[in-house]
Amino acid sequence: MYLNQFIKKVVFTIVLIALFTHPATAYAADAPYTTLTIDKDGYFVNTQDGYTPLTVLDKFGEEKLKNPSDLFITKDGKMYIADTGNKRVLICDKKGNLLFTIEDELKGPTGLYVDEEGTIYVADPKLKKILVYSEQGVLIKTYETPVSPLFAPNDRYAPSKLVVNSAGSIYSISEGNANGILTFSSVGDFYGYFGANNTSISFTQILRRLAFTEEMKNSLQQNVPAASLNLDIDANGLIYTVTQGSLSDGLKKFNMAGKNMLSNGYVDDLVVDVAVGDIENIYTVSAQGFICEYTREQELLFMFGGKDDGNNRTGLFVSPTAIEVDNDGKLYILDSELANITVLEQTEYATTVHKALYLFQEGFYIESHEPWQEVLRKNSLFDYARRGIGKAFYRLEKYDLALESARLGGDYKGYSDAFWELRNTWIREHIINIFFGLILLSIIWRIVRKIKDKAPGIKSITRGIRVIRNKKLMKELAFLNYMPKNPADAFYGIKFEGKVSIVSSTILYVLFFIIYVINKYYSGFLFKTVEDGFYEIGTDFIFVFGLLALFLICNNLICSIKDGEGSFKNIYCSVAYCLMPYIMLKPIVILLSHVLTFNESFIISFFNFFIFAAIAIFIIIMIKEIQAYTVKETFRSIFLTAFTMIILLAAGFILFALIKQVMDFVVSIFKEVYYRGK
């Protein structure tokens, strides 16, 4: 008993010593959201949290916010808040200690920017002015409605957001003005508009414009481009804008010429603000509270946050309006409805990602290798890290490892570059062997040709080949070679001379499908259209043979109505032989896809164009000869066939949707009866 008490005291003493002598580490609570990223195949996948909530600022000195709209943080740690509801601007430190306020004549400031000298620029749409203040908050000048031929009398001037470049030029978004970003010189001259969004027009709108009268057109709603909602500027003077409802280009990065430099990646449909970090990483926040971080090429690194469900969970938002990032990489999210600022800090994982990303983007591929490896040790599914490692291996001239990493990371250009180097190395090492091997094969071929009818073994093989070639089915299949020589005569032979049969034609259809599957799933990595390990053979079977059957049925139907002379058997057999270019040349394309890089991709493009152009020509000649049509009748039947196919496909989709709705209705009734019966 005493021994047990003594042991407990010793253990307790050791624990106390360990607690007081070992440095303690404070860990943030688990984030109330799941962090996502996009993998190489374009799918959202879970990843480690890049940011966790640190604190919430809801009081600044003794002041509280009311419907704040914008936020700006300077390099020296000052925080500027557009307190719209209270008609003022608050200036405080990053801990929320109030320094001073600017009220002056403000009516509802919604946009802020502070340059490196501390000059404060405020956009007030209610006042219809841009106001410029000194670092101490003294009004210096205002920018009112431009008086310039470049600014039309009916253009709206209500500046809501703004940024300023190093030369003092102002870029401002005006509420209700879709012409683009207004630009002013440092002395107030209006330069015109910059970075306007493009208009989009639907197929229905095109048809309306073609069919409607001028009066009807005038009554339609005007097709104007969506106006940018917010903007930011980086250290290089590049302008970033966000636009809601523009899925393809909701985030833009303009160079000095006004050209978008981004690649139209994923952007939240309800994005409200954008901010740029020290390593040109881009942050956006949406009205639903989702925060995204991108590389400077718009590849998504992290997506997190979300809508608060009323439980006031730190890290979730109700109505976010602005996002900012400071020198330490902390994020500041301004919420208009909650009237507070949520601060999020980087995790160790995000810090490692940013370190590797910085080295990678600046071209230090070798130096980025170790940080990328550390990222992969923490998250083996982070495909962007594999692309970075592939670049590092390429610079280290480890092309085989670079090839593997590029493939795993979905880096097609990196894969192509590494494959180019490996291929060149292989050719240099084997060129002599290849040369002598070709000479040896040529000599062997000449010898075999001379003795093939004399040597007993070769003679028997030759005789066997001749017997097989003289089989009726083999002759029918070999008729495929006659197609390019004289297509019209070939179709005459199919129709009147029985040169082919249903069996041989069916074999060609099956062969066509096999080649289609091999091309889809086993082409070279650079030219595959599906991701590695993905197979849907059943769907391919339905698609290929369903489309062929639909064409055969519709064409036979149209040709029967249009007094065509060909039977369904003629069409069935002829279409199979029209696929000759695909059956003959596509295997060559598949082989080439394994030995060519992006630099030679034009060769494969040419082959594919030739294959499908030849098939189209064969089908035109086939319909003309089999049905005994004129050229005009031939093209008319082709058009009607295509139209009939579209109508039947549309009807099929509608019927499928109706059946599905009926099934869902029956299932819902069954569930209702079942649960009520219980």
Side-chain angles (χ1 to χ4, degrees):
M1 177 178 177
Y2 291 106
L3 181 61
N4 289 338
Q5 290 179 351
F6 175 75
I7 293 173
K8 289 180 180 179
K9 288 180 180 180
V10 171
V11 172
F12 181 72
T13 304
I14 293 172
V15 171
L16 285 178
I17 293 172
L19 287 173
F20 284 104
T21 59
H22 193 276
T25 303
Y27 293 94
D30 291 339
Y33 44 71
T34 299
T35 302
L36 304 174
T37 189
I38 292 180
D39 67 8
K40 62 183 176 64
D41 300 312
Y43 298 111
F44 283 103
V45 294
N46 291 346
T47 185
Q48 283 93 330
D49 290 332
Y51 296 84
T52 55
L54 179 63
T55 186
V56 175
L57 305 175
D58 57 3
K59 197 172 183 180
F60 305 88
E62 298 299 321
E63 303 294 333
K64 288 194 173 184
L65 305 177
K66 182 180 179 182
N67 300 325
S69 298
D70 204 5
L71 176 67
F72 191 91
I73 298 175
T74 59
K75 292 181 179 179
D76 61 1
K78 289 183 181 178
M79 188 159 55
Y80 297 74
I81 307 167
D83 191 7
T84 310
N86 289 320
K87 304 177 183 179
R88 63 186 179 180
V89 173
L90 298 184
I91 297 89
C92 54
D93 62 22
K94 291 192 291 186
K95 293 182 179 180
N97 298 313
L98 184 64
L99 302 177
F100 64 96
T101 64
I102 298 175
E103 297 188 28
D104 198 42
E105 58 175 319
L106 297 175
K107 289 187 178 180
T110 59
L112 283 172
Y113 190 86
V114 183
D115 65 18
E116 293 185 356
E117 284 74 34
T119 305
I120 307 166
Y121 297 79
V122 181
D124 193 324
K126 289 186 178 179
L127 199 59
K128 296 185 178 180
K129 291 181 182 179
I130 295 174
L131 303 98
V132 185
Y133 296 90
S134 69
E135 188 175 3
Q136 292 74 32
V138 178
L139 183 64
I140 300 174
K141 64 187 300 185
T142 60
Y143 291 75
E144 300 188 16
T145 304
V147 179
S148 169
L150 299 173
F151 192 85
N154 59 342
D155 287 350
R156 179 174 168 80
Y157 182 71
S160 58
K161 305 291 180 183
L162 79 167
V163 294
V164 183
N165 67 14
S166 57
S169 299
I170 299 175
Y171 299 84
S172 175
I173 292 174
S174 176
E175 290 182 355
N177 192 331
N179 295 320
I181 301 168
L182 288 77
T183 59
F184 299 88
S185 70
S186 58
V187 295
D189 296 328
F190 180 64
Y191 284 159
Y193 293 100
F194 175 87
N197 289 318
N198 297 322
T199 58
S200 60
I201 183 169
S202 65
F203 182 71
T204 304
Q205 290 173 318
I206 294 174
L207 293 179
R208 286 175 179 173
R209 292 190 178 189
L210 291 173
F212 283 12
T213 63
E214 288 298 323
E215 291 184 2
M216 297 170 70
K217 291 179 184 178
N218 293 332
S219 65
L220 293 174
Q221 184 178 1
Q222 291 186 344
N223 188 26
V224 297
S228 299
L229 188 65
N230 220 320
L231 76 169
D232 198 10
I233 189 170
D234 66 15
N236 299 315
L238 303 179
I239 306 295
Y240 300 72
T241 65
V242 289
T243 305
Q244 288 190 350
S246 184
L247 292 177
S248 61
D249 58 356
L251 173 63
K252 290 183 177 180
K253 174 183 177 180
F254 294 103
N255 59 17
M256 297 304 174
K259 182 180 179 181
N260 182 25
M261 302 168 63
L262 296 181
S263 57
N264 298 337
Y266 168 80
V267 182
D268 194 296
D269 191 34
L270 297 175
V271 61
V272 294
D273 195 17
V274 58
V276 186
D278 288 340
I279 59 173
E280 298 180 55
N281 45 335
I282 308 168
Y283 299 90
T284 63
V285 64
S286 75
Q288 296 295 322
F290 292 105
I291 301 166
C292 293
E293 181 185 359
Y294 305 89
T295 67
R296 65 186 183 187
E297 287 85 21
Q298 202 185 344
E299 295 201 53
L300 185 67
L301 295 176
F302 302 108
M303 178 179 175
F304 56 98
K307 195 80 170 178
D308 184 54
D309 56 4
N311 293 324
N312 295 323
R313 300 173 68 189
T314 303
L316 300 179
F317 311 95
V318 176
S319 181
T321 58
I323 183 170
E324 270 293 300
V325 56
D326 67 10
N327 293 337
D328 299 323
K330 292 186 178 70
L331 298 181
Y332 297 75
I333 314 299
L334 179 66
D335 194 303
S336 178
E337 188 167 331
L338 296 178
N340 64 21
I341 298 172
T342 301
V343 184
L344 301 103
E345 64 177 348
Q346 294 183 22
T347 61
E348 183 182 354
Y349 175 68
T351 302
T352 307
V353 170
H354 291 155
K355 179 182 178 181
L357 180 63
Y358 169 74
L359 294 170
F360 176 68
Q361 291 184 155
E362 295 302 317
F364 301 108
Y365 299 122
I366 297 174
E367 292 81 355
S368 70
H369 179 264
E370 181 54 36
W372 281 134
Q373 289 283 18
E374 180 63 25
V375 171
L376 282 180
R377 280 192 286 270
K378 296 178 179 179
N379 181 5
S380 61
L381 300 177
F382 195 66
D383 291 331
Y384 194 85
R386 297 192 181 279
R387 295 196 284 275
I389 289 175
K391 294 285 188 182
F393 280 135
Y394 184 83
R395 286 303 180 95
L396 292 168
E397 298 185 0
K398 297 180 179 180
Y399 301 122
D400 52 342
L401 296 176
L403 190 77
E404 181 183 0
S405 296
R407 181 161 190 158
L408 291 173
D411 182 6
Y412 288 89
K413 186 180 184 306
Y415 184 95
S416 178
D417 293 340
F419 184 75
W420 173 280
E421 297 292 345
L422 288 171
R423 189 183 65 182
N424 288 347
T425 301
W426 188 89
I427 291 174
R428 285 195 301 268
E429 293 176 351
H430 297 87
I431 186 65
I432 296 176
N433 295 334
I434 293 172
F435 178 74
F436 284 110
L438 291 174
I439 293 176
L440 181 62
L441 287 175
S442 177
I443 294 172
I444 293 172
W445 176 249
R446 289 176 180 273
I447 294 172
V448 169
R449 288 187 63 184
K450 286 185 177 181
I451 66 172
K452 65 179 181 179
D453 293 326
K454 300 176 182 179
I458 298 176
K459 186 176 181 180
S460 61
I461 293 173
T462 304
R463 188 185 302 113
I465 293 174
R466 287 173 182 169
V467 171
I468 294 173
R469 289 176 61 181
N470 288 328
K471 295 288 185 180
K472 182 176 183 297
L473 180 60
M474 294 306 298
K475 286 184 176 181
E476 291 173 350
L477 293 174
F479 190 70
L480 206 65
N481 296 321
Y482 188 71
M483 288 292 300
K485 298 177 183 178
N486 192 335
D489 188 55
F491 291 122
Y492 180 88
I494 291 174
K495 181 178 179 181
F496 295 107
E497 298 176 354
K499 295 288 186 179
V500 303
S501 65
I502 291 179
V503 174
S504 65
S505 301
T506 303
I507 291 173
L508 292 181
Y509 282 125
V510 173
L511 187 60
F512 170 80
F513 176 72
I514 292 172
I515 296 172
Y516 172 86
V517 170
I518 294 172
N519 175 68
K520 182 175 180 179
Y521 299 109
Y522 298 101
S523 290
F525 173 72
L526 294 177
F527 302 97
K528 283 180 67 173
T529 57
V530 297
E531 61 190 84
D532 288 341
F534 177 79
Y535 299 96
E536 47 179 10
I537 307 297
T539 303
D540 293 330
F541 183 87
I542 295 172
F543 171 75
V544 171
F545 288 108
L547 200 61
L548 284 170
L550 185 63
F551 175 80
L552 292 171
I553 293 170
C554 291
N555 184 255
N556 182 66
L557 177 65
I558 294 299
C559 292
S560 298
I561 295 173
K562 293 293 182 180
D563 299 325
E565 296 180 4
S567 65
F568 183 80
K569 177 184 176 182
N570 296 149
I571 299 173
Y572 179 86
C573 295
S574 298
V575 170
Y577 282 80
C578 286
L579 300 175
M580 183 277 296
Y582 192 95
I583 295 170
M584 292 293 194
L585 297 179
K586 201 64 178 179
I588 298 174
V589 174
I590 296 171
L591 291 175
L592 288 174
S593 71
H594 288 276
V595 298
L596 298 182
T597 66
F598 277 156
N599 294 329
E600 302 100 7
S601 61
F602 69 92
I603 298 174
I604 288 182
S605 298
F606 172 77
F607 266 100
N608 286 331
F609 173 79
F610 181 82
I611 288 169
F612 291 106
I615 290 174
I617 292 171
F618 282 159
I619 288 176
I620 293 170
I621 297 173
M622 179 270 293
I623 293 175
K624 181 179 181 299
E625 297 300 324
I626 294 295
Q627 305 297 343
Y629 281 159
T630 63
V631 174
K632 184 177 180 180
E633 290 172 334
T634 299
F635 281 99
R636 185 182 297 160
S637 68
I638 292 172
F639 172 78
L640 291 174
T641 299
F643 181 76
T644 306
M645 291 174 67
I646 293 171
I647 294 298
L648 289 178
L649 284 172
F653 282 125
I654 293 172
L655 182 63
F656 174 79
L658 290 174
I659 292 174
K660 187 175 183 301
Q661 287 184 352
V662 171
M663 292 298 295
D664 291 342
F665 177 71
V666 171
V667 170
S668 63
I669 292 177
F670 175 79
K671 288 181 178 178
E672 183 73 17
V673 172
Y674 176 77
Y675 287 115
R676 286 184 179 273
K678 292 180 68 175

